[in-house]
Amino acid sequence: MTVPCEGQDLVAATAIFGDRLPLAQRYVEHLATTGIERGLIGPRGVPRLWARHVLNCAAVQEYIAEGASVADVGSGAGLPGLCLAIARPDLSITLIEPLERRVIWLHEVVEDLGLENVKILRSRAEQAVGQVEADVVTARAVSALVGLVDITLPILRGTGELLALKGRSAREEIKKAKKKLNRFGARETEILTAGEGLLDEPTTVVRVTL
């Protein structure tokens, strides 16, 4: 199934993916077909796959340094991990996902797209500590920040950044997680906006720096 990328979405996709836009389009086709068939994406989300999912995730690349290693926790349908891998071939990305059916799908997509900068680890985030080295940990729709810090910050081994894609509750989530953030030695916690001027709805990101 072809999901058109038009108007402002096409402007944003061209700016973010550049000459790798055909790869992003092929990824969206996977989401709209086998992704739905296997329950990774809801069918009602198809019309907004570009805006709500792919561009929303890929925009976060602006906050990741050149050549960084990234661990994407709870990858599911590759959001945001595969979006980042397509947009930024310089990044080394490990997708961490515990459910076998999702891992199988991720392997199929990565192979089809020929993404050489992606590794896939079937594991819970807690068990991935020590198996993955990362400068940055990403997470989207995994849990509230107060629970997320427990399963993401240990992967960084004391230095690096967590980029958590959040919504309107970001400020409140930071308040609730403050004690835990202090316990982990977080130097700074801030709310950022990705895709400003490109996306109709810029992405809200909570960045925790150790």
Side-chain angles (χ1 to χ4, degrees), residues 60 181 196:
V60 177
L181 290 166
E196 197 80 55

Side-chain angles (χ1 to χ4, degrees), residues 64-70 88 90-92 135:
I64 303 178
E66 183 81 19
S69 55
V70 179
R88 293 280 302 278
D90 61 292
L91 302 177
S92 299
D135 305 308

Side-chain angles (χ1 to χ4, degrees), residues 28-41:
V28 170
E29 288 172 11
H30 279 288
L31 290 173
T33 53
T34 55
I36 289 174
E37 291 164 13
R38 302 195 204 175
L40 280 80
I41 293 287

Side-chain angles (χ1 to χ4, degrees), residues 63 135-138 153 156 159-163 207-210:
Y63 292 113
D135 305 308
V136 178
V137 176
T138 56
L153 295 187
L156 294 171
T159 181
E161 296 178 342
L162 164 65
L163 297 177
R207 178 165 66 185
V208 179
T209 305
L210 296 183

Side-chain angles (χ1 to χ4, degrees), residues 149-172:
V149 295
D150 287 327
I151 63 172
T152 55
L153 295 187
I155 294 173
L156 294 171
R157 303 184 190 184
T159 181
E161 296 178 342
L162 164 65
L163 297 177
L165 284 68
K166 291 293 180 181
R168 296 175 185 172
S169 63
R171 199 167 300 280
E172 189 62 30

Side-chain angles (χ1 to χ4, degrees), residues 8-112:
Q8 186 58 36
D9 287 350
L10 181 56
V11 173
T14 302
I16 292 170
F17 292 110
D19 61 2
R20 290 167 71 84
L21 181 55
L23 279 181
Q25 290 171 321
R26 192 162 177 82
Y27 170 53
V28 170
E29 288 172 11
H30 279 288
L31 290 173
T33 53
T34 55
I36 289 174
E37 291 164 13
R38 302 195 204 175
L40 280 80
I41 293 287
R44 286 184 296 180
V46 170
R48 297 197 65 204
L49 273 176
W50 281 103
R52 183 167 181 170
H53 295 294
V54 175
L55 295 173
N56 173 272
C57 289
V60 177
Q61 62 89 23
E62 68 185 78
Y63 292 113
I64 303 178
E66 183 81 19
S69 55
V70 179
D72 184 38
V73 168
S75 279
L79 302 165
L82 284 182
C83 302
L84 296 172
I86 295 168
R88 293 280 302 278
D90 61 292
L91 302 177
S92 299
I93 297 183
T94 302
L95 309 179
I96 302 171
E97 170 55 52
L99 294 183
E100 183 178 20
R101 64 182 174 85
R102 294 178 179 174
V103 167
I104 290 170
W105 185 86
L106 288 170
H107 275 291
E108 291 173 0
V109 174
V110 167
E111 183 176 354
D112 181 61

